[in-house]
């Protein structure tokens, strides 16, 4: 028999063992067949790798469940992993390991409360016995000549809970004879994983891990100069330093137990590693820093141990050790509030570090801590000028740090930056680790806190805006922030309307201030800059739309010019180039001055929209809402739109998901109901029911909108407070996609001012937010402290108002 025939028979045998009806794409629904075996055994690595990836998804999906395909595929996956002719053996072993890991963890996995009773990770009943039978077939791969195959076998067998006792002994023997440190480390981790399931060998495995956590487990290296034979003999024994992996394995084996030795061992092992390099961080591979930070994170919630590790590294002679210490300190301070006063003094000393990257990172950590770093502002300010600091990036980071502290000594250099460049030179460096990158300073954020200095900052900022020629530039947000913080911005902008070069800059800035019709005296100048009706250049700084012109001057003539009545019927008809949204916006702007003909046409448009039957979920009633809004503005008569809006929102409180526009219809309904008391109570009930239903299904977006409308309609704390308290429970922390927890907290402060007793049920939640040491925000990024400060301020505002 030829080799080709033998291969064909082998694949046919494997294919016959599989129920292919169970091997399907969990997302697309496509079914796989025996052809995947040919592709898995393909000589083309690309083909084999793609096939392995597809089979991984078929068996494991998104990683949360073990599907029926897993048990069907396991026999041929094991045989492929054992076959030297297969080009993706390691990838197959990793697939097996992933499936087995899910099989071990899914039955006890926790799910979000909102999903309780609706979805839970599952394990197909055929998987555990199939894996128990197949695991033994992978044991010979522990002796494979290929290092990466041995490593893959270790990872897969670490998930063989049924063979834990036997495998612990086998893996320990492998460790003693393993020449490769990388594999030795995986063997230690595997022993820790298996000890979770072992019965007879569990205590033995834990004792072995504790031994290798110590210096004795590492072995004492002989003095090379004194006894070369002893050194060679020691080297031949392969006494790997696996202390970090032993700590990680013990934490995995004993997840609820914290041993004080974990932190001490981690510190000793990391300091020994970092001492091996005397090179500056910029000249040394980042691998060691990654090892340091990774080892720290494996200490988990052991805050005292991690603080001790950070202090040891921050004060170390090695530059790389200090780099690791700074990374650890940043991570700890982003997670725990108490870590800030503990670590900040040591971090501040590294503002004067001999190595530039450490200086930059230390300044960024001080900037991250904001107000808490003010005691070290003088230390930072010493690096502001070229006289005190020759390195420009260090000077810019000092400016940034002082801006985050609110120290106005950074204002003169900020003016210089605005005048000369308009941005920090330390732009995005393209790092894949955006969280702790030191080169992402923002001049916009640096300027925002200094409304009190807007008199000296405003002109250079406006000059910079004029150069950008773009009305959406982030610089505009600074002007708005200064105005909201009490800066004297609007009078200066009105004065600039007389300056031809600054006219449009000032006009677009005033629109952001919501300052009303402040430019009546400048109508002619602004009219010359009107954009044509068909223009879509909304971001063009040189032009202004008829609607913006009306907002600034109070003159509605250009808006009226968008409408005309060629048949002299008195009804404004749009030009062929005018879209319906623009027409409706014009009607909303002009309102009752359009008269009865406009109302008649809008009434017909609204009825036509109501008569449409949506064919798909995405067919939204938004068009009907927009038409209703225009009709309501033109007539001012609630009866014109109430029946239609009541119809649009009749099921809003009953359906889990709303189509786009239904919430908008509910908001408009509440606005109309505010002018018509007979229906206000019914609309309030509908808003409340909708909010409760959306909260129950974790739809915080629609829920928040509904609650805001309910508050505007009723001003009744008793109706609004319960929903807001529930929203506080389900909304994510600051920094997430809105609405975040800040939104219900801000509204809850308004409610508390009206009725302090109504927010009493929120007291336990608010005190938990205020008293927690672990910040209830996302950790490990530069904005964590600032987001936590915003959260505490919002919670404190509710508590303080409720105590009055």
């Amino acid at each position: 028999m030829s080799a080709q025939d033998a291969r064909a028979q082998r694949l046919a045998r494997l294919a016959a063992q599989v129920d292919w009806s169970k091997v399907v794409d969990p997302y697309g629904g496509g079914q796989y067949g025996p052809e995947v075996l040919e592709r898995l055994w393909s000589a083309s690595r690309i083909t084999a790798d793609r096939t392995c990836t597809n089979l991984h998804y078929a068996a494991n999906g998104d990683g949360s469940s073990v599907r029926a395909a897993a048990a069907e595929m396991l026999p041929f996956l094991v045989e492929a992993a054992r076959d030297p002719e297969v080009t993706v053996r390691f990838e197959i072993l990793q697939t097996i390991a992933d499936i087995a890991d899910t099989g071990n963890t899914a039955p006890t996995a926790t799910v979000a409360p909102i999903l309780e009773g609706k979805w839970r990770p599952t394990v197909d009943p055929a998987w555990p016995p199939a894996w128990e039978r197949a695991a033994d077939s992978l044991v010979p791969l522990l002796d494979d000549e290929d290092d990466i195959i041995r490593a893959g076998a270790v990872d897969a067998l670490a998930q063989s809970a049924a063979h834990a006792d036997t495998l612990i002994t086998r893996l320990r023997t492998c460790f003693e004879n393993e020449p490769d440190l990388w594999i030795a480390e995986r063997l230690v981790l595997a022993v820790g994983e298996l000890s979770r399931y072992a019965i007879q060998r569990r205590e033995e495995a834990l004792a072995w891990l504790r031994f290798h956590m110590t210096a004795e487990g590492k072995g004492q290296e002989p003095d090379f100069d004194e006894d070369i034979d002893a050194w060679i003999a020691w080297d031949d024994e392969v006494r790997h330093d696996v202390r970090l992996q032993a700590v990680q394995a013990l934490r995995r084996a004993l997840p609820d137990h914290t041993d004080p030795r974990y932190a001490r061992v981690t510190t000793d092992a990391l300091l020994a590693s970092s001492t091996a390099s005397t090179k500056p961080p910029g000249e040394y591979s980042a691998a060691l820093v990654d090892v340091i930070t990774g080892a720290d994170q494996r200490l988990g919630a052991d805050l005292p141990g991690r603080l001790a590790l950070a202090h040891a590294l921050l004060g170390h002679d090695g530059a790389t050790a200090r780099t690791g210490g700074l990374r650890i300190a940043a991570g700890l301070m982003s997670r725990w509030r108490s870590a800030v006063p503990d670590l900040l003094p040591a971090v501040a000393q590294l503002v004067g570090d001999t190595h530039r990257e450490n200086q930059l990172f230390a300044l960024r950590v001080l900037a991250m801590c904001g107000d808490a770093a003010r005691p070290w502002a003088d230390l930072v300010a010493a690096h502001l000028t070229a006289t005190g600091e020759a390195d420009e990036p260090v000077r810019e980071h000092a400016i940034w740090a002082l801006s985050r502290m609110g120290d106005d000594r950074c204002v003169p250099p900020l003016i210089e930056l605005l005048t000369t460049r308009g941005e920090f030179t330390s732009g995005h460096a393209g790092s894949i680790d955006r969280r702790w990158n030191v080169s992402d300073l923002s001049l916009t954020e640096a300027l925002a806190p200094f409304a009190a200095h807007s008199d000296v900052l405003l002109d250079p900022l406006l000059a910079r805006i004029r150069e950008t020629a773009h009305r959406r530039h982030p610089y505009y947000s600074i002007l708005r922030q200064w105005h909201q913080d009490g800066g004297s911005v609007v009078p200066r902008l009105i004065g600039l309307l007389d300056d031809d070069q600054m006219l449009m800059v000032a006009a677009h800035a005033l629109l952001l201030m919501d300052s009303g019709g402040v430019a009546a005296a400048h109508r002619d100048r602004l009219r010359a800059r009107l954009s044509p009706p068909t223009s879509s250049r909304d971001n063009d700084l040189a032009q202004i739309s008829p609607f913006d012109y009306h907002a600034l001057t109070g003159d509605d003539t250009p808006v009226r010019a968008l409408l005309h009545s060629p048949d002299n019927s008195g009804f404004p008809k749009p030009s062929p180039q005018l879209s319906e949204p623009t027409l409706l916006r014009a009607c909303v702007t002009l309102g009752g001055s359009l008269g009865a003909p406009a109302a008649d046409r809008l009434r017909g448009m609204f009825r036509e929209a109501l008569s449409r039957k949506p064919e798909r979920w995405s067919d939204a009633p938004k068009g009907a809402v927009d038409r209703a809004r225009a009709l309501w503005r033109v007539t001012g008569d609630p009866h014109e739109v109430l029946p239609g809006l009541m119809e649009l929102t009749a099921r809003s409180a009953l359906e889990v998901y709303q189509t786009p526009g239904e919430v908008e219809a509910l908001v408009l309904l509440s606005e109309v109901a505010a002018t018509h008391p007979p229906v206000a109570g019914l609309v309030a009930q509908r808003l409340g029911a909708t909010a409760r239903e959306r909260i129950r299904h974790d739809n915080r977006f629609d829920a928040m909108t509904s609650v805001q409308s309910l508050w505007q309609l009723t001003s009744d704390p008793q109706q609004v407070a319960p929903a807001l308290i529930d929203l506080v429970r389900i909304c994510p922390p600051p920094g997430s996609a809105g609405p975040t927890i800040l939104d219900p907290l801000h509204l809850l402060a308004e409610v508390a001012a009206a009725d302090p007793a109504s927010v009493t049920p929120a007291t336990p939640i608010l005190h938990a937010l205020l008293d927690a040491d672990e910040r209830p925000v996302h950790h490990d990024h530069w904005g964590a402290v600032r987001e936590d400060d915003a959260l505490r301020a919002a919670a404190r505002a509710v508590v303080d108002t409720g105590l009055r």
Side-chain angles (χ1 to χ4, degrees):
M1 181 186 298
S2 67
Q4 186 173 2
D5 291 339
R7 170 191 164 100
Q9 286 188 8
R10 180 188 189 189
L11 296 185
R13 171 179 56 81
L14 291 171
Q17 299 172 5
V18 179
D19 181 352
W20 293 103
S21 66
K22 297 180 180 179
V23 185
V24 297
D25 181 344
Y27 305 116
Q31 186 168 319
Y32 296 105
E35 71 279 356
V36 299
L37 297 175
E38 285 287 350
R39 294 200 291 264
L40 194 62
W41 262 266
S42 172
S44 167
R45 181 173 176 81
I46 295 176
T47 299
D49 186 64
R50 186 181 298 119
T51 302
C52 184
T53 299
N54 292 338
L55 294 176
H56 191 296
Y57 280 115
N60 206 201
D62 63 356
S64 64
S65 298
V66 178
R67 302 175 61 80
E72 297 297 326
M73 292 161 39
L74 186 58
F76 71 72
L77 288 177
V78 170
E79 189 154 342
R82 290 164 53 93
D83 188 347
E85 293 184 5
V86 174
T87 60
V88 289
R89 298 169 69 200
F90 179 75
E91 289 76 8
I92 292 171
L93 288 167
Q94 286 298 302
T95 295
I96 295 172
D98 290 344
I99 300 170
D101 178 45
T102 303
N104 289 335
T105 57
T108 58
T110 58
V111 298
I114 195 65
L115 297 174
E116 286 288 354
K118 299 178 177 62
W119 175 88
R120 179 172 289 279
T122 58
V123 178
D124 183 74
W127 169 256
W131 175 227
E132 184 174 344
R133 291 191 303 269
D136 279 338
S137 299
L138 297 177
V139 173
L141 296 181
L142 294 172
D143 299 319
D144 199 279
E145 294 181 357
D146 190 331
D147 293 351
I148 197 168
I149 299 304
R150 293 203 305 277
V154 171
D155 291 347
L157 289 170
Q159 301 302 326
S160 181
H163 301 81
D165 288 303
T166 303
L167 283 170
I168 284 173
T169 302
R170 182 75 167 85
L171 295 182
R172 287 177 55 191
T173 302
C174 290
F175 175 84
E176 299 302 329
N177 299 303
E178 178 54 60
D180 189 290
L181 174 60
W182 178 61
I183 300 176
E185 292 171 346
R186 298 173 97 96
L187 285 163
V188 172
L189 296 175
V191 170
E193 187 72 20
L194 290 168
S195 65
R196 301 171 62 218
Y197 310 108
I199 299 175
Q200 299 174 348
R201 301 289 185 183
R202 174 175 168 79
E203 293 304 321
E204 178 184 314
L206 295 175
W208 184 81
L209 291 172
R210 292 189 179 102
F211 172 74
H212 283 285
M213 184 179 70
T214 66
E216 289 76 13
K218 172 192 173 185
Q220 298 298 317
E221 182 175 346
D223 189 326
F224 177 83
D225 294 328
E226 294 294 328
D227 189 350
I228 188 171
D229 292 333
W231 187 89
I232 294 173
W234 178 87
D235 190 48
D236 287 343
E237 291 178 2
V238 199
R239 302 299 293 277
H240 297 302
D241 184 357
V242 291
R243 287 176 289 173
L244 296 177
Q245 287 69 35
V247 169
Q248 182 181 354
L250 284 165
R251 285 191 57 82
R252 180 67 173 159
L254 302 167
D256 299 324
H257 173 71
T258 298
D259 190 324
R261 290 176 297 175
Y262 294 166
R264 293 198 300 269
V265 169
T266 301
T267 302
D268 291 344
L270 293 177
L271 291 179
S273 299
S274 61
T275 304
S277 172
T278 58
K279 295 181 180 180
E283 301 175 23
Y284 187 68
S285 169
L288 181 54
V289 175
D290 290 340
V291 169
I292 290 173
T293 54
D296 161 71
Q297 291 172 357
R298 292 181 193 120
L299 293 175
D302 182 8
L303 179 57
R306 297 179 70 176
L307 290 171
L309 172 60
H311 279 293
L313 292 167
L314 289 170
H316 196 268
D317 292 338
T320 304
R322 296 197 299 277
T323 302
L326 284 166
R327 287 287 297 271
I328 291 173
L332 295 179
M333 286 190 274
S334 76
R335 179 175 177 183
W336 281 291
R337 293 166 179 168
S338 63
V340 172
D342 190 290
L343 292 173
L344 207 50
V347 170
Q349 297 309 307
L350 296 187
V351 168
D353 196 271
T354 55
H355 297 292
R356 176 195 186 206
E357 294 304 316
N358 286 348
Q359 280 186 282
L360 298 178
F361 205 96
L363 287 165
R364 283 303 307 260
V365 174
L366 292 175
M368 176 182 80
C369 294
D371 289 345
R374 284 185 177 179
W376 294 274
D378 290 344
L379 186 63
V380 175
H383 296 271
L384 273 181
T385 65
T387 303
E389 177 57 64
D391 191 290
E392 185 175 42
V394 174
R395 293 200 302 272
E396 291 192 352
H397 277 74
I399 297 170
W400 172 253
L402 288 176
S403 75
R404 304 315 306 167
M405 298 176 200
D407 190 306
D408 58 11
R409 281 177 286 186
C410 69
V411 171
L414 285 174
I415 294 174
E416 181 182 356
L417 277 176
L418 270 175
T419 305
T420 57
R421 290 192 299 274
E423 191 50 90
F424 288 103
T425 55
S426 299
H428 294 298
S431 168
I432 60 172
D433 184 7
R434 297 304 312 157
R435 295 175 304 168
W436 299 125
N437 183 22
V438 298
S439 299
D440 57 353
L441 310 187
S442 166
L443 185 58
T444 302
E445 292 185 26
L447 289 166
F450 296 107
H453 296 274
S454 59
D455 54 335
V456 294
L457 287 166
L458 186 56
D459 282 346
L461 178 61
L462 290 170
R464 185 60 60 181
I465 291 175
R466 184 168 64 86
E467 291 181 10
T468 65
H470 197 290
R471 65 179 296 186
R472 304 293 184 187
H473 197 281
Y475 285 148
Y476 276 105
S477 66
I478 306 173
L479 297 175
R480 185 181 181 90
Q481 185 66 55
W482 287 349
H483 173 64
Q484 293 173 344
D485 292 344
S488 182
V489 176
V490 171
R492 175 61 178 147
L493 292 174
I494 294 175
L496 289 174
L497 292 175
D498 292 317
D499 185 333
D500 286 340
Q501 292 186 331
M502 298 301 296
L503 171 65
M504 296 310 297
V505 171
H508 289 301
L510 284 168
L511 288 167
L512 289 175
M513 308 298 147
D514 297 325
S515 50
V518 296
H522 300 84
R523 289 180 178 178
D524 293 341
R525 295 169 58 80
L526 289 170
R527 188 189 291 268
R529 304 294 185 98
L530 279 171
S531 60
T534 57
S535 174
S536 60
R537 301 171 64 189
D538 292 337
N539 293 335
D540 191 345
L541 190 61
Q543 295 183 314
I544 187 171
S545 76
F547 301 103
D548 289 342
Y549 171 87
H550 172 259
L552 284 173
T553 67
D555 182 4
D556 62 13
T557 304
V559 177
R560 289 184 177 276
L562 297 177
L563 308 171
H564 65 284
S565 180
D567 59 0
N568 297 317
S569 68
F571 173 70
K573 293 183 178 180
S575 66
Q577 297 82 13
L578 201 63
S579 65
E580 180 177 312
T582 303
L583 165 67
L584 295 177
R585 183 180 180 187
C587 292
V588 169
T589 300
L590 298 172
S593 64
L594 287 177
D600 288 341
R601 181 60 62 88
L602 290 170
R603 192 176 295 116
M605 293 171 65
F606 181 42
R607 289 171 179 166
E608 188 273 333
L610 289 174
S611 67
R612 296 175 187 168
K613 299 298 182 183
E615 298 177 359
R616 304 179 308 274
W617 179 87
S618 60
D619 290 336
K622 186 178 187 306
V625 176
D626 290 339
R627 293 177 180 187
R629 182 179 291 105
L631 178 60
W632 160 243
R633 292 289 192 275
V634 168
T635 66
D637 183 356
H639 296 94
E640 292 279 6
V641 294
L642 273 173
L645 290 175
M646 295 292 282
E647 178 185 341
L648 284 176
T649 61
R651 294 184 57 81
S652 62
L654 304 176
E655 297 173 348
V656 175
Y657 298 106
Q658 290 176 316
T659 58
E662 285 185 5
V663 173
E664 190 175 351
L666 196 57
V667 171
L668 179 58
L669 176 62
S670 67
E671 178 186 330
V672 176
T675 68
H676 191 63
V679 299
L682 176 60
V683 173
Q685 292 177 7
R686 190 166 293 181
L687 285 166
T690 299
R692 289 190 296 273
E693 183 68 13
R694 296 305 175 269
I695 290 170
R696 192 168 74 86
H697 290 92
D698 203 30
N699 185 343
R700 65 184 189 277
F701 306 96
D702 291 350
M704 190 67 213
T705 300
S706 301
V707 173
Q708 288 169 329
S709 292
L710 180 62
W711 176 243
Q712 292 170 1
L713 177 63
T714 67
S715 298
D716 184 354
Q718 298 301 322
Q719 291 194 58
V720 173
L724 285 174
I725 295 170
D726 286 338
L727 277 165
V728 169
R729 291 189 177 99
I730 71 170
C731 281
S736 308
T740 70
I741 189 174
L742 296 181
D743 296 283
L745 283 175
H746 289 154
L747 187 53
L748 201 59
E750 290 185 36
V751 173
D755 180 8
S758 67
V759 302
T760 300
T763 302
I765 304 173
L766 298 174
H767 281 296
L769 293 174
L770 291 169
D771 299 339
D773 187 27
E774 186 169 356
R775 302 183 191 277
V777 299
H778 299 298
H779 309 138
D780 295 317
H781 65 98
W782 291 119
V785 176
R786 195 184 337 167
E787 291 169 3
D788 184 45
D789 288 345
L791 176 57
R792 283 196 288 181
R796 177 58 63 190
V798 180
V799 170
D800 290 347
T801 305
L803 291 175
R804 291 175 188 170

